[in-house]
Amino acid sequence: MSILVTGGAGYIGSHTCVELLNAGYDIVVIDNFSNSKIESLNRIKEITDKEVTFYEVDLLNREAVENVFKKHSIEAVIHFAGLKAVGESVAIPLHYYHNNITGTLILCDVMKQYGVKNLVFSSSATVYGMPERVPISEDFPLGATNPYGRTKLMIEEILRDLYVADNSWSIALLRYFNPIGAHESGRIGEDPNGIPNNLMPFITQVAVGKLKQLSVFGNDYPTVDGSGVRDYIHVVDLAHGHLKALEKVMSANGVEAYNLGTGTGYSVLEIVAAFEKASGVEVPYQIVDRRPGDVAVCYADATKAKNELGWVATRGIEEMCRDSWKWQKNNPNGY
Ligand SMILES: NC(=O)c1ccc[n+]([C@@H]2O[C@H](COP(=O)([O-])OP(=O)(O)OC[C@H]3O[C@@H](n4cnc5c(N)ncnc54)[C@H](O)[C@@H]3O)[C@@H](O)[C@H]2O)c1
Ligand SMILES: O=c1ccn([C@@H]2O[C@H](COP(=O)(O)OP(=O)(O)O[C@H]3O[C@H](CO)[C@@H](O)[C@H](O)[C@H]3O)[C@@H](O)[C@H]2O)c(=O)[nH]1
């Protein structure tokens, strides 16, 4: 029996594949490389010294997805594949809705056809929209402020409906906070296309000399130093959360949402300082206007994942910065 990993060549998927292989699971990866490179799969093999069964498949191609289920006996699916850039989703919403939602519909329909009903889905803290207070727990009201967020929200609802219709499904909706860091080997990591939208890859590209300086979006939020506060989580901790969720879906039916975060918030300026300390490299920055749509403070109440999955994040901000830097320094141009 194998675990199917959709989007397994991507940032979070590749780190999760390493942990799955290390834990002794057989995996089958599918990806269309719309936002990743095949080299990440070579690196997974290199780190784990294990074979990775891989198919270049677009989830929108139902026949190709079916062929994978025909060839392999799949026990559960971890579904990472999706487009994730907020700004791009505002510019090309139909593309986002089609890729993320139709892709998930096809996947679930093929799973149903083959009697595979265990699913771990990559959701996001973005489903909390503009939260009224922190820490954010799973029972907070949901909402979205952009098409990307709406795809996550809609998919969560679709998966809940699926369970209502057939309660032999078993589904974990994992709401990630802000994943950063990389595998400690420095061989896999986040490899964004073009200029990064997210804070940590922007910082590492400034540090390695590819970008001139960081723009800090606002210093007048009601926070410790005025800059925005987020719950950064080491991607390897996040990967372990998937293994715990996998054990859960393979042992009990239901549909449950879990926050995967550390429960601690850091400001942008605190991250800059922690990165400079971990890397020994100065990160020049300027304060600019707030970025439209940003919330001041966002961090998780991760108690449910602790109580029900037996998962807690163990890596601190120093390791997150150290590993992000090791990846960027050793791979200045990504894969
Ligand atoms: N990175 C974050 O900050 C973050 C936060 C919350 C949620 N998420 C979600 O987690 C998942 C993984 O994120 P990531 O950061 O690893 O992104 P990523 O872009 O690195 O990985 C996603 C992978 O899916 C593949 N893919 C996209 N559409 C596909 C399709 N139709 N068929 C086959 N493959 C397809 C891409 O090529 C890529 O390899 C995504 O669903 C994302 O929305 C990410
Ligand atoms: O160049 C930059 C980039 C970011 N920031 C700030 O850094 C913080 C983190 O920003 P970013 O890394 O872009 O993460 P978020 O805005 O929190 O969004 C991420 O986390 C959300 C919740 O999980 C997901 O919905 C999004 O897809 C994902 O990009 C925020 O305060 C930003 O204003 C800067 O100051 N300068």
Side-chain angles (χ1 to χ4, degrees), residues 140-152:
F140 269 38
L142 302 181
T145 55
N146 56 71
Y148 163 70
R150 274 185 279 279
T151 69
K152 293 293 176 194

Side-chain angles (χ1 to χ4, degrees), residues 242-306:
H242 289 74
L243 270 69
K244 293 291 190 185
L246 190 62
E247 288 169 20
K248 176 85 177 176
V249 298
M250 292 199 297
S251 65
N253 300 340
V255 55
E256 287 293 338
Y258 299 99
N259 286 341
L260 297 187
T262 64
T264 303
Y266 289 100
S267 74
V268 175
L269 295 177
E270 285 173 333
I271 293 292
V272 170
F275 180 85
E276 288 181 333
K277 189 162 171 238
S279 65
V281 181
E282 195 197 336
V283 178
Y285 67 84
Q286 60 168 345
I287 307 288
V288 301
D289 286 347
R290 292 180 177 194
R291 184 170 64 177
D294 273 359
V295 294
V297 181
C298 173
Y299 59 90
D301 177 342
T303 315
K304 187 176 173 189
K306 183 181 178 194

Side-chain angles (χ1 to χ4, degrees), residues 84 86 124-126 148 176-179 196-200 202 214-218 221 227-230 232 268 291 294-296 298:
K84 63 164 184 177
V86 172
S124 166
T126 195
Y148 163 70
Y176 313 154
F177 281 69
N178 290 57
N197 297 308
N198 296 115
L199 180 64
M200 185 53 83
F202 203 107
L214 172 71
S215 295
V216 174
F217 299 141
Y221 287 109
S227 63
V229 167
R230 294 291 182 276
Y232 297 94
V268 175
R291 184 170 64 177
D294 273 359
V295 294
C298 173

Side-chain angles (χ1 to χ4, degrees), residues 6-13 30-36 57-60 79-84 99-100 103 121-125 148 152 176-179 190 198:
T6 77
Y11 173 46
I12 305 168
I30 62 177
D31 203 298
N32 68 355
F33 298 122
S34 56
N35 196 40
S36 54
V57 163
D58 192 317
L59 278 183
L60 297 175
H79 177 33
F80 293 104
L83 298 171
K84 63 164 184 177
N99 189 77
N100 291 5
F121 171 63
S122 296
S123 188
S124 166
Y148 163 70
K152 293 293 176 194
Y176 313 154
F177 281 69
N178 290 57
E190 186 170 11
N198 296 115

Side-chain angles (χ1 to χ4, degrees), residues 10-175:
Y11 173 46
I12 305 168
S14 58
H15 287 82
T16 304
C17 287
V18 166
E19 301 309 319
L20 286 166
L21 290 167
N22 284 343
Y25 286 99
D26 282 329
I27 63 171
V28 176
V29 172
I30 62 177
D31 203 298
N32 68 355
F33 298 122
S34 56
N35 196 40
S36 54
K37 306 222 172 67
I38 196 159
E39 178 60 15
S40 69
L41 300 174
N42 298 333
R43 305 270 179 103
I44 294 170
K45 281 186 210 164
E46 180 196 303
I47 293 170
T48 61
D49 203 21
K50 293 198 169 135
E51 276 312 305
V52 179
T53 307
F54 166 73
Y55 299 94
E56 183 167 348
V57 163
D58 192 317
L59 278 183
L60 297 175
N61 180 347
R62 186 189 167 107
E63 206 185 320
V65 178
E66 271 186 46
N67 281 335
V68 175
F69 281 79
K70 250 181 231 157
K71 272 208 188 107
H72 297 273
S73 167
I74 305 292
E75 191 173 8
V77 178
I78 307 184
H79 177 33
F80 293 104
L83 298 171
K84 63 164 184 177
V86 172
E88 190 182 62
S89 80
V90 176
I92 47 171
L94 296 182
H95 186 58
Y96 268 66
Y97 287 120
H98 189 49
N99 189 77
N100 291 5
I101 295 179
T102 314
T104 303
L105 290 176
I106 290 173
L107 173 70
C108 290
D109 203 42
V110 174
M111 287 175 70
K112 191 172 138 220
Q113 187 183 333
Y114 283 83
V116 181
K117 295 180 181 176
N118 299 325
L119 177 65
V120 176
F121 171 63
S122 296
S123 188
S124 166
T126 195
V127 300
Y128 296 113
M130 294 290 205
E132 273 172 21
R133 56 201 158 77
V134 282
I136 301 168
S137 53
E138 289 83 354
D139 54 4
F140 269 38
L142 302 181
T145 55
N146 56 71
Y148 163 70
R150 274 185 279 279
T151 69
K152 293 293 176 194
L153 208 49
M154 287 176 192
I155 293 168
E156 284 203 2
E157 286 174 0
I158 289 167
L159 295 176
R160 287 183 191 281
D161 287 341
L162 192 54
Y163 175 73
V164 169
D166 173 359
N167 55 28
S168 64
W169 279 82
S170 186
I171 302 168
L173 311 169
L174 302 185
R175 296 176 179 160

